[in-house]
Every structure is written in structure tokens, then in C-alpha cells.
């Protein structure tokens, strides 16, 4: 779950995966993040963005290993993994 606020031209997006000790990069997370970035970008009053975690000890733990194991059931696991990686890179480029 990603929530954001805007104050004085600065957007703050807070990551918090409910029920988990840490936030992980999953396809659901990436989809939410892209939607939030699009919303923030469309707000002409925003001049900057802060990314934060609601988890006290960890910003993002990394890739969702459970989802990575699930790739093995895809028709072409390598191609699916590469597709997901490209989507993640594209999204991170939006943040830049």
C-alpha cells in the first residue's frame, strides 16, 4: 500500500505492505507505485518527492522472493523474469 501527501510542493509517498515485517518489490507494489507517481507528476504544484517507509527498520527489502519462485510456473520463466525486470527498470527511470 502506498499513501501520499503533498505539502508546500513536496510529495511524500509512504510504503507499507500490510501484515508484513518489510516492504518488498512485487508486481502489485510496482503497479501501485506507478499509479502514485503518475498522480503526483500530474499535480503541477509538486516540485519534489520523498519516498519513505512506514516500516521502522527497513525501507525496501528487495524483490518478492515468493513471487520469484512463482515465475517457475510460467510458460517461459526466463522471459517472464526479464519482462518484470524491464518493467521495474522503466518505473525506476520515472523516479529519476
Amino acid at each position: 500500500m502506498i499513501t501520499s501527501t503533498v505539502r508546500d510542493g513536496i510529495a511524500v509517498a509512504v510504503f507499507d505492505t500490510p501484515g508484513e515485517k518489510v516492504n518488498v518489490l512485487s508486481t502489485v507494489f510496482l503497479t501501485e507505485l506507478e499509479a502514485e507517481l503518475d498522480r503526483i507528476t500530474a499535480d503541477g504544484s509538486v516540485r519534489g518527492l520523498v519516498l519513505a517507509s512506514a516500516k521502522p527498520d527497513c525501507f525496501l527489502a528487495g524483490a518478492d522472493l515468493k513471487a520469484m519462485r512463482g515465475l517457475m510456473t510460467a510458460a517461459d520463466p526466463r522471459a517472464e523474469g526479464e519482462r518484470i525486470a524491464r518493467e521495474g527498470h522503466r518505473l525506476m527511470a520515472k523516479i529519476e
Side-chain angles (χ1 to χ4, degrees), residues 28-51:
V28 171
F29 174 85
L30 294 174
T31 300
E32 273 190 52
L33 180 58
E34 182 162 33
E36 201 61 30
L37 289 174
D38 289 345
R39 190 184 70 70
I40 290 168
T41 302
D43 183 339
S45 72
V46 175
R47 299 183 325 271
L49 171 63
V50 175
L51 301 175

Side-chain angles (χ1 to χ4, degrees), residues 18-80:
E20 299 292 335
K21 291 182 181 181
V22 296
N23 297 310
V24 294
L25 291 171
S26 66
T27 54
V28 171
F29 174 85
L30 294 174
T31 300
E32 273 190 52
L33 180 58
E34 182 162 33
E36 201 61 30
L37 289 174
D38 289 345
R39 190 184 70 70
I40 290 168
T41 302
D43 183 339
S45 72
V46 175
R47 299 183 325 271
L49 171 63
V50 175
L51 301 175
S53 174
K55 306 297 184 193
D57 299 321
C58 184
F59 178 68
L60 282 170
D64 182 349
L65 297 179
K66 293 175 191 170
M68 297 294 281
R69 274 184 251 135
L71 287 176
M72 298 312 292
T73 61
D76 186 346
R78 181 178 175 170
E80 183 63 10

